[in-house]
Amino acid sequence: MREATQTEVRRAFDSGMPGLRPPRSVIVIGAGLAGLAVAYELAARDCEVTVLEADTRPGGRAYTLRAPFADGLHAEAGAMTLTPHCHYAMHYLRELGVETETADLLDTTFSYFARGRFFTPGPEAVAAAGLALHPHEEKLGVAGMIERYVTAVSDSLQPDLSAPDWEATELLAPYDRRSVHQVLTDRGASQAAIDLMEPMFLEMRGGDLKTASALSWLRHEASPHSLSNADPRWAKVKGGTDRFPQAFAERLKSRIRYRRPVVRVEQDEERARVTYLDHGSLQTMEAERVIVTVPFSAIRHIDFTDAGLSDAKHDAMRRVKYSSVVRVYLQMRRQFWPQRNASFSTDLAIRWIRDATPQLPGPRKIMECLMTGWRARAVSVMTEEERQNFVLTELDRMLPGARDHFETGASVCWDERPYAEGAYILPERGHSALLPVIRRPEGRVHFAGDHAGFEPNGGSMTFALESAARTVLELGLTGTP
Ligand SMILES: Cc1cc2nc3c(=O)[nH]c(=O)nc-3n(C[C@H](O)[C@H](O)[C@H](O)COP(=O)(O)OP(=O)(O)OC[C@H]3O[C@@H](n4cnc5c(N)ncnc54)[C@H](O)[C@@H]3O)c2cc1C
């Protein structure tokens, strides 16, 4: 059976997937957005669907922290921002009646803090910051650097790079073998310029630029989902991202079974079988098809020895890398820093600091510190108290008064979260070749989730939902055996 292309999935989804003949029974592993959407579509088509979720809540990496904050403040531990191009996310938000509002990221004023000084991304401020830029970079400012080092490269790879049914053509393939760092330095970027550009596109991905696939990065940077292409229509879920998965869960009701971590998947000619933990005992359930939505970072908890998977699939499960992300949230008594809606990239270990509550009137505020890569891994091994203390000490060097205004805090270390064990896919060199292998169904076992999408830089709610649509289509085409 030929796999549907990205365009075909979109067309089928937009027309309501008519004529679909889903199997009679399906087990979905994981109640993240991908699993919820698959279950929602199947349930609407009279399929007997059961979702087995290891956690006590739906949503996976769509996760809002509400405790221990006062005054109804909340912060996003995972997914936060939506663009108007998040087609699948916008579709379901509308359908489920979940409201959106302007994205926080657009409400912040971005600047840098390096060598003990604040400066903005404009050409004069950057030139005066005393950084080790190449002479020709002094007049560019950060936007000019992105134009010269990123946009010019992606423009030279069009139309292949942004083609809807993307593949690594002859023009693109060499960029999947090259690293982001190589492409930037080949274009003449100094390390200081790379450090300035990084927060715009990569810092949040937690990548090592020397191993990250240039192709995956350029495809993302050329897309409307890139931070450097932000527009005023960027949005977030009103009241917290968790309202989105909760809305799915309310529709699915008892079809979702929480605290049921799956430990084994098997299949034969007739059936697929799933073994899971149920309050300290092992239970087995059978269905015609099984959908695995578990991120590959956490897939090692499931035994697939008798699932008849190909060697290529086992290899892909081991090879896919995830980024390390830690987010620390500090509730402050009031805004003690002068900048309105502050957002800073710093040369301190805490890296990125922002007002996580720019749209709330206060007086209380939550300051967020987001660390990725080795810094995230370093603070992950600290205790909660040590971690908050570490961030406060660093923050105080930059914004004196932080410690005096601190009231309470919380943090999320994605590497340490059971059943996630990583934040989002980190496409390494060669990642584009893995994508079709990750997506491919193997007998009665199908794969959805943001890692099993069409986009190499797929860590986003809408790509998780797109993978769900692709899987539902795949199931419907398979039909009842
Ligand atoms: C820090 C961070 C920031 C992000 N920012 C954004 C953003 O701004 N915008 C955006 O669109 N996206 C963002 N994302 C990405 C987005 O959260 C994900 O792409 C999306 O939520 C993935 O959904 P999923 O269903 O594929 O996976 P998940 O949400 O990971 O769902 C998988 C589910 O499977 C469950 N599970 C795992 N193992 C087992 C098992 N053995 N048995 C049973 N269940 C199991 C998990 O508990 C989980 O509920 C961000 C993610 C992170 C971590």
Side-chain angles (χ1 to χ4, degrees):
M1 186 181 62
R2 182 182 70 80
E3 188 195 38
T5 63
Q6 196 166 13
T7 310
E8 286 166 348
V9 172
R10 171 87 169 249
R11 205 175 297 134
F13 182 78
D14 287 351
S15 60
M17 300 198 258
L20 216 67
R21 284 191 310 125
R24 275 184 294 266
S25 61
V26 170
I27 300 169
V28 178
I29 308 177
L33 284 170
L36 291 166
V38 169
Y40 175 81
E41 295 296 343
L42 292 178
R45 290 170 175 81
D46 292 330
C47 168
E48 188 194 309
V49 58
T50 306
V51 184
L52 296 173
E53 166 57 51
D55 211 334
T56 51
R57 59 168 182 89
R61 285 168 285 158
Y63 174 36
T64 306
L65 283 185
R66 295 174 189 279
F69 308 118
D71 302 342
L73 293 176
H74 63 265
E76 298 303 346
M80 186 166 81
T81 309
L82 293 154
T83 80
H85 305 275
C86 289
H87 183 72
Y88 295 88
M90 291 306 186
H91 166 96
Y92 282 117
L93 287 164
R94 264 193 314 272
E95 184 160 314
L96 299 170
V98 179
E99 284 183 77
T100 58
E101 60 187 358
T102 307
D104 276 356
L105 284 184
L106 298 179
D107 258 0
T108 49
T109 316
F110 181 75
S111 51
Y112 294 91
F113 178 80
R115 298 166 159 212
R117 293 187 45 204
F118 290 97
F119 59 95
T120 55
E124 286 98 52
V126 167
L131 307 170
L133 294 169
H134 291 329
H136 72 266
E137 292 171 334
E138 299 265 345
K139 294 195 196 75
L140 292 177
V142 178
M145 290 172 192
I146 290 178
E147 185 58 44
R148 180 180 180 129
Y149 298 132
V150 187
T151 316
V153 185
S154 50
D155 285 353
S156 74
L157 299 177
Q158 299 297 2
D160 295 21
L161 186 64
S162 300
D165 293 325
W166 175 87
E167 57 176 330
T169 58
E170 225 171 275
L171 179 67
L172 300 182
Y175 284 84
D176 203 27
R177 293 193 288 272
R178 303 178 70 199
S179 73
V180 175
H181 197 266
Q182 257 177 318
V183 169
L184 289 169
T185 48
D186 287 358
R187 292 281 304 171
S190 65
Q191 188 54 49
I194 294 174
D195 291 344
L196 286 174
M197 289 184 288
E198 203 184 352
M200 296 297 166
F201 44 76
L202 282 167
E203 193 176 65
M204 290 168 73
R205 320 299 302 178
D208 175 348
L209 307 201
K210 291 189 173 159
T211 57
S213 156
L215 177 56
S216 299
W217 160 72
L218 285 165
R219 165 108 180 148
H220 181 77
E221 287 312 309
S223 82
H225 304 289
S226 153
L227 190 56
S228 41
N229 295 329
D231 77 41
R233 294 169 303 159
W234 280 31
K236 63 173 181 167
V237 177
K238 194 172 176 180
T241 306
D242 59 356
R243 298 209 166 157
F244 191 15
Q246 277 162 11
F248 270 120
E250 277 159 26
R251 305 300 196 285
L252 288 164
K253 299 195 173 72
S254 60
R255 291 185 184 92
I256 310 177
R257 302 176 66 187
Y258 297 102
R259 299 181 64 186
R260 303 300 201 282
V262 170
V263 293
R264 187 153 207 239
V265 173
E266 301 158 274
Q267 64 171 322
D268 56 32
E269 296 279 296
E270 307 294 319
R271 307 287 281 172
R273 261 179 311 282
V274 168
T275 304
Y276 59 96
L277 283 170
D278 182 355
H279 299 90
S281 75
L282 285 173
Q283 302 290 338
T284 298
M285 186 185 266
E286 287 193 344
E288 285 177 14
R289 303 269 160 183
V290 170
I291 321 294
V292 182
T293 74
V294 175
F296 279 6
S297 45
I299 203 84
R300 70 190 167 87
H301 296 288
I302 304 180
D303 177 67
F304 287 100
T305 313
D306 292 321
L309 304 187
S310 63
D311 290 347
K313 183 76 85 181
H314 281 289
D315 283 350
M317 285 175 172
R318 276 192 297 274
R319 277 183 55 195
V320 172
K321 292 268 183 352
Y322 281 71
S323 63
S324 301
V325 174
V326 171
R327 299 175 90 163
V328 182
Y329 308 91
L330 306 172
Q331 180 183 302
M332 300 295 179
R333 202 163 45 246
R334 65 173 176 79
Q335 181 183 325
F336 60 91
W337 57 94
Q339 299 86 344
R340 191 189 152 266
N341 301 349
S343 171
F344 306 109
S345 172
T346 79
D347 60 356
L348 305 172
I350 48 176
R351 292 305 267 183
W352 192 43
I353 285 286
R354 69 175 192 110
D355 176 356
T357 44
Q359 291 166 10
L360 300 179
R364 287 195 165 91
K365 291 261 160 205
I366 297 177
M367 261 299 193
E368 175 186 351
C369 160
L370 186 143
M371 285 166 279
T372 58
W374 70 267
R375 294 174 184 85
R377 290 189 286 277
V379 297
S380 288
V381 293
M382 296 178 183
T383 64
E384 180 66 46
E385 195 184 342
E386 283 170 344
R387 194 175 304 127
Q388 289 178 27
N389 200 31
F390 171 80
V391 173
L392 264 178
T393 306
E394 291 284 291
L395 183 60
D396 218 53
R397 290 169 58 191
M398 181 181 146
L399 298 173
R403 192 171 286 282
D404 296 340
H405 289 84
F406 171 71
E407 290 183 321
T408 185
S411 65
V412 173
C413 305
W414 281 101
D415 282 0
E416 307 301 317
R417 296 271 325 159
Y419 308 112
E421 300 177 26
Y424 31 66
I425 283 255
L426 198 57
E428 299 264 278
R429 283 181 293 181
H431 187 72
S432 68
L434 284 181
L435 275 173
V437 179
I438 299 171
R439 286 194 302 265
R440 195 166 64 208
E442 308 245 355
R444 298 176 173 280
V445 184
H446 299 249
F447 292 83
D450 61 357
H451 57 293
F454 293 101
E455 293 299 327
N457 231 328
S460 116
M461 296 185 277
T462 208
F463 296 140
L465 294 166
E466 180 184 53
S467 81
R470 193 256 309 143
T471 308
V472 172
L473 199 61
E474 203 173 89
L475 285 169
L477 295 177
T478 346
T480 303

